[in-house]
Amino acid sequence: MAKRFPIIETERLILREVTVADAKNMLTYLSDDTVMKHMGLVPFQTDDEVLDEISWYQSIYREGTGIRWGITLKDSNEVIGSCGFLNMLSKHHRADVGYELSKEYWGKGIANEALAAVVKYGFQHYQLERIQALIEPDNFPSQKLVERLGFRKEGLLRHYEFTCGKFDDLIMYSFLKGDLDLI
């Protein structure tokens, strides 16, 4: 029997499982150069690329190595972004967190609300001790977002990833379970 995908509700949002029916909405933001600039991925151009992304969301959940929620506003079932964990290592009680949001919703506190809820969920339901965010040095809005939530900057990981034909430096941020009183 498959485990039931958890739903997270916040003041304005419903974080839920992404399905094939969401592909068209997802293509809107996953094809946006500005949204994709710091994700280490080339902007998507086809429905098939989005379907592959949805398939990846399903596989990390099934394998227990991550979970990715679609972000929706309570008054709409339309997916406007996603947020969740990848590289979950239960042995070490840690996971990476990632997120993206459609550009038209930037600056409205939605990413903050979604990320705070996902972080709390990770500590409460996955027995995580550490959640880490890896952010490109020139992605200042993302750095400000995690810093506002209480993530601490740990340092620069030089040439940490090879994406889009180049090596990328990433800044490591962390949030520990004991920091939960900060959000």
Side-chain angles (χ1 to χ4, degrees):
M1 184 164 114
K3 54 188 173 182
R4 176 178 239 135
F5 194 94
I7 295 172
I8 302 174
E9 187 172 339
T10 69
E11 184 181 337
R12 299 179 292 165
L13 307 174
I14 301 285
L15 306 180
R16 63 161 177 83
E17 183 173 19
V18 171
T19 68
V20 170
D22 298 309
K24 184 175 167 55
N25 292 331
M26 292 174 66
L27 184 58
T28 301
Y29 62 84
L30 292 174
S31 64
D32 186 318
D33 292 342
T34 312
V35 172
M36 300 300 283
K37 180 179 181 181
H38 299 292
M39 289 184 58
L41 298 170
V42 174
F44 291 19
Q45 295 183 14
T46 67
D47 291 337
D48 284 344
E49 289 172 308
V50 177
L51 293 174
D52 286 346
E53 185 78 355
I54 293 169
S55 179
W56 177 69
Y57 292 176
Q58 293 167 344
S59 72
I60 63 171
Y61 181 64
R62 193 174 48 251
E63 295 161 6
T65 60
I67 182 170
R68 195 77 170 204
W69 285 272
I71 301 171
T72 67
L73 299 172
K74 280 189 173 177
D75 61 359
S76 166
N77 196 32
E78 181 179 317
V79 173
I80 60 171
S82 77
C83 185
F85 300 116
L86 60 153
N87 301 323
M88 286 177 65
L89 296 169
S90 57
K91 174 184 174 184
H92 297 293
H93 302 272
R94 81 169 178 250
D96 295 347
V97 70
Y99 44 85
E100 81 280 330
L101 188 64
S102 183
K103 189 169 48 181
E104 76 178 89
Y105 297 97
W106 290 4
K108 300 177 192 291
I110 291 171
N112 186 79
E113 190 172 327
L115 183 59
V118 165
V119 165
K120 287 178 188 173
Y121 191 92
F123 289 125
Q124 293 167 349
H125 298 277
Y126 289 113
Q127 291 71 49
L128 295 175
E129 174 62 24
R130 173 188 171 90
I131 295 173
Q132 52 196 36
L134 298 162
I135 302 172
E136 291 184 0
D138 60 346
N139 187 350
F140 300 112
S142 195
Q143 290 177 52
K144 283 171 43 179
L145 170 64
V146 298
E147 288 171 1
R148 267 196 312 274
L149 282 175
F151 279 74
R152 293 192 188 164
K153 184 188 279 190
E154 293 187 337
L156 181 69
L157 303 172
R158 300 180 321 143
H159 287 203
Y160 190 74
E161 283 186 335
F162 185 79
T163 59
C164 301
K166 65 182 178 18
F167 288 99
D168 292 322
D169 294 344
L170 295 174
I171 299 173
M172 172 70 78
Y173 282 87
S174 69
F175 194 100
L176 303 181
K177 188 173 188 173
D179 299 333
L180 258 179
D181 59 342
L182 300 174
I183 59 175

